[in-house]
Each structure stands twice: as structure tokens, then as C-alpha cells.
Amino acid sequence: MLKLIGFIVSILLIIIIFLRTPQENVGLSSFATKSNILGSPRSAERFLNILTAIGIFIYLSIALAINLTF
């Protein structure tokens, strides 16, 4: 069960990382502001930072628990 949850969290972390818009790439950042997928760029970046930190904490906790049980 923990392996399945760990797999899902790792996939979600990969998706979150791909959602992040590079600051130096004008084309992608203008697309993100025009499409308004995640709201304003500042709030979207803050939300993704928090979500990424929580996801990493959950992933590390699950990985530690899996390693301690086997």
C-alpha cells in the first residue's frame, strides 16, 4: 500500500515540476499569464511551491517508512 502511495506522490511531483514556468523563458511565461491556468503568476508560483514542499515531505516520509519495514 505504501509503495502505491509513494508511486502516486512521485508522479504528482513530476507533474508539479512540469507545471512550473521558467522565469527566463518569455514565451512560456506569457502563455501562462494569458491562459490563466493557475490564476495570477505570483499566487500560482506560491501555491506550487507549497504543494511541492508538501509532496517532497510526504514522499520522503513514505520512502523512509518503506526502507524501515524491509
Side-chain angles (χ1 to χ4, degrees), residues 6-41:
F7 177 74
I8 292 170
V9 170
S10 65
I11 296 297
L12 289 176
L13 282 173
I14 292 170
I15 292 170
I16 290 170
I17 291 170
F18 280 129
L19 280 177
R20 300 179 140 266
T21 305
Q23 298 296 327
E24 64 275 354
N25 194 343
V26 177
L28 288 177
S29 63
S30 67
F31 169 74
T33 57
K34 287 180 185 175
S35 64
N36 208 6
I37 293 173
L38 298 171
S40 71

Side-chain angles (χ1 to χ4, degrees), residues 2-3 5-6 56-70:
L2 279 178
K3 287 186 179 184
I5 295 171
I56 290 171
F57 178 74
I58 291 171
Y59 180 79
L60 290 176
S61 299
I62 290 172
L64 183 67
I66 289 173
N67 285 332
L68 291 177
T69 57
F70 292 113

